[in-house]
Amino acid sequence: MSPLSVCVYCGSRPGKSSSYTTEAEALGRGIAERNWRLVYGAGDVGLMGSVARAAQAGGGDTFGVIPKHLVEWEVGKVDLTRYVVTETMHERKKVMFMNCDAVVVMPGGAGSLDELFEVLTWRQLGLHEKPVVLMNVEGYWDPLIALLDHVVASGFADASLLDYFEVVSSADHALTALSRPMT
């Protein structure tokens, strides 16, 4: 059995709380300690850079995917185990998702939301059954979770939508969730 490949969606900024960076580093270290592979957006800024540098420092396998128009903006991290430059954002998301076994979504902005909703939609449509873990550091995702509850309560999605992701509060809890046998 090959090692687990974990796709991490997270901010290209560090956010206002130092806890976000602390948890990103813990996640990167934990991925490396378990000999798993980090799949992420190949940036060397924000939480993306923090998770990747921590994984690298632990000797972890790193697979980064970045569209050519973001190489300068997100400071493409060319010293990864594997560094892929794509033509478009759509291609980036596809390559990242196709090369992972599970997804962790850390705090982030519109890009992280886009990535989360795409994998939730694909799951809803029966296109995958990969685990999705929402790292709700300091309650960052509480408003989103309330919105998804509202979407279900308002009849725009089946209650099963809420079963397509697991909410955890820290990197340790995310790593524990990913260590459980996948169905």
Side-chain angles (χ1 to χ4, degrees), residues 103-130:
V103 173
V104 174
V105 185
M106 291 197 62
S112 300
L113 286 165
D114 173 50
E115 292 160 335
L116 170 63
F117 278 109
E118 187 163 64
V119 299
L120 288 181
T121 301
W122 290 346
R123 176 71 188 265
Q124 192 174 27
L125 297 172
L127 300 176
H128 78 87
E129 292 187 9
K130 296 178 184 182

Side-chain angles (χ1 to χ4, degrees), residues 61-117:
D61 186 0
T62 53
F63 184 115
V65 185
I66 191 167
K68 65 182 180 179
H69 69 277
L70 289 181
V71 168
E72 286 185 39
W73 190 356
E74 291 184 349
V75 189
K77 190 159 179 38
V78 297
D79 64 341
L80 301 168
T81 308
R82 182 146 186 228
Y83 178 75
V84 176
V85 178
T86 63
E87 292 292 317
T88 67
M89 288 292 287
H90 292 292
E91 186 180 4
R92 174 198 216 181
K93 291 188 299 181
K94 178 182 176 186
V95 171
M96 289 170 64
F97 188 74
M98 296 304 292
N99 282 283
C100 77
D101 303 306
V103 173
V104 174
V105 185
M106 291 197 62
S112 300
L113 286 165
D114 173 50
E115 292 160 335
L116 170 63
F117 278 109

Side-chain angles (χ1 to χ4, degrees), residues 120 123-124 132 134 144-153 157-167:
L120 288 181
R123 176 71 188 265
Q124 192 174 27
V132 176
L134 193 61
L144 175 69
I145 295 163
L147 175 61
L148 291 171
D149 287 338
H150 175 71
V151 167
V152 169
D158 188 77
S160 63
L161 174 67
L162 304 175
D163 297 330
Y164 298 156
F165 60 96
E166 180 174 350
V167 180

